[in-house]
Amino acid sequence: MMRWDVPSLHVDLCVWLEEHQRDPLSLVMIFRGASKSTIVSEFKAWQLRAEPTALHQVWGADKTVATKMSRYTRYVLSKHPWCAGLIDPRA
């Protein structure tokens, strides 16, 4: 098992995402370089693992960021062992 030190900012963001996941007006605004897109993408993968038929809308600062987040969420779902079988490798 990997023993990573997770920055408290990342833990705080994950807790905030969990607490506000049903709030349609929630907005994440954190300084550049804080890994917002990565953490939100991984959070979406975690949600989809729990509820594979759920639909999610991904918003980013622009289309490029939103596409990157969607692509990374798909990558996590296809590679993480806990998400085995969620993504058809042929798709």
Side-chain angles (χ1 to χ4, degrees):
M1 175 183 282
M2 294 182 170
R3 299 284 182 195
W4 292 351
D5 290 329
V6 178
S8 62
L9 173 67
H10 293 180
V11 174
D12 293 344
L13 177 54
C14 290
V15 169
W16 187 89
L17 287 167
E18 175 88 31
E19 291 174 350
H20 292 86
Q21 63 183 320
R22 301 283 184 230
D23 180 0
L25 300 178
S26 59
L27 175 66
V28 175
M29 293 180 65
I30 301 176
F31 58 88
R32 282 181 62 94
S35 300
K36 294 176 297 293
S37 296
T38 300
I39 293 169
V40 170
S41 297
E42 291 167 350
F43 182 76
K44 289 295 177 191
W46 175 75
Q47 286 181 311
L48 286 166
R49 177 182 172 264
E51 192 176 341
T53 59
L55 297 176
H56 295 265
Q57 186 171 18
V58 176
W59 288 69
D62 55 34
K63 183 179 179 185
T64 302
V65 173
T67 301
K68 180 182 86 167
M69 291 171 66
S70 295
R71 189 177 306 124
Y72 184 64
T73 299
R74 183 178 173 84
Y75 173 80
V76 170
L77 290 170
S78 69
K79 297 297 183 186
H80 198 286
W82 291 356
C83 300
L86 291 177
I87 297 288
D88 184 348
R90 300 167 295 172

